[in-house]
Structure formats: structure tokens, C-alpha cells
Amino acid sequence: VSQSRMAERKERLMTTIAWDGTSLAHDTLRTDGWGLKQYEPCKVMEGKDFLLGGAGDWACILRYQKRVAEMTAAEILDMGFPDYKKDENDPSLLLVTKSGVFTHGAGMWLRVSRPFHAIGSGRDYALMAMYLGKTAQEAVALTEVFGNDTKAPVITRRLSE
């Protein structure tokens, strides 16, 4: 395999991250550019006044988490995602704050209007499970049954008071 082909392969967070109005849950699977699966317990970071989860290009998400680690949620919303490039770098991000929940896609932050939300490859399964009354943790666990891009154990976090 050529060096250019190897450079094209990115580690991606094939994941499910779900918010149920109370807690944020995520699986622990990371898939590299070759399809090899690894354990990843840190898909959600806790900041000063927020939780931030991401799905997509893992290196990009790590850079963004490092960049916003000392910021407030309001500063993150003001800054946006400066590295956004539609065809190269468009991760799904979920920002949970005391004033609301926001999702990032297509270069902008959008307020989530429903009481629950999910991102990642298992998003649709998790949304359906929460619509049917499951918690975020249960929704992510159920997603593993139906999709091969979500893997237990499930880690659940709550926004600090």
C-alpha cells in the first residue's frame, strides 16, 4: 500500500454518544483507518461548565478538545469549530451545557430542541430507544445489538453542578 493511501486512512470514532436530558453516555469503540477496533474510554470530555463528545476524525476531535479545555461553554459556542472543512473535516459534536444542548454539523452549532439527542454511527438506534423511554446508557447498550460500530462497556457522565 502506498504512503499516500496510508495517509488517507484516518482513525475515526465509529461511536454512539447519547444525551437523555440527565446523562451523557457513550460506547468505547474506536476504529482505525484499516478497520481495526480499539478500546477508547475518553470520547467525552468534561470542561468548566460543559460536557463535549465527538464522532468522526479522532485526531481532529482530540485537537478540538485540547483547544477548548480551558474555555467556557459560551466561549465554545462563540468560537464554533474553526477547522471545519466540509469535504475533509466535519465531525459530529455534542455540547451539553447548563443552558442547553447543542450539536455541531455542517460548520455551525445548533440548539437541540428535543429533550434527548444522539450523534455518531449509532445515532438512529439510540434516538429510537430514547424516544421509547430508555435512558442514554440503555440506548447506547441497545445500539450495540443492532450496529457493529458500537461496543460496550458504556460510560455515563453527568454535568457537574
Side-chain angles (χ1 to χ4, degrees), residues 12-17 24-31 38-46 51-55 58 61-62 65 92-94 119 121 140 149-151 153 155 157:
R12 302 196 56 80
L13 283 180
M14 303 300 286
T15 191
T16 304
I17 300 174
L24 190 66
H26 66 87
D27 72 314
T28 51
L29 176 68
R30 178 173 42 144
T31 306
Q38 304 169 32
Y39 175 74
E40 180 54 61
C42 301
K43 293 183 179 182
V44 171
M45 71 167 287
E46 185 170 0
L51 293 173
L52 176 68
W58 182 230
I61 292 166
L62 287 176
Q65 286 180 345
S92 294
L93 300 170
L94 188 60
I119 61 170
S121 56
V140 173
D149 294 331
T150 299
K151 181 89 174 123
I155 297 174
R157 317 251 329 246

Side-chain angles (χ1 to χ4, degrees), residues 39-111:
Y39 175 74
E40 180 54 61
C42 301
K43 293 183 179 182
V44 171
M45 71 167 287
E46 185 170 0
K48 289 182 178 182
D49 60 349
F50 65 87
L51 293 173
L52 176 68
D57 180 336
W58 182 230
C60 172
I61 292 166
L62 287 176
R63 281 192 308 274
Y64 189 69
Q65 286 180 345
K66 185 175 182 180
R67 187 174 192 171
V68 303
E70 298 302 318
M71 297 173 85
T72 65
E75 291 169 327
I76 293 170
L77 291 169
D78 285 342
M79 179 182 72
F81 186 77
D83 297 333
Y84 170 73
K85 294 177 188 154
K86 180 182 179 190
D87 295 329
E88 297 175 28
N89 187 7
D90 186 14
S92 294
L93 300 170
L94 188 60
L95 180 67
V96 175
T97 73
K98 292 176 183 168
S99 63
V101 177
F102 302 85
T103 187
H104 186 280
M108 67 184 91
W109 286 107
L110 301 168
R111 182 180 289 275

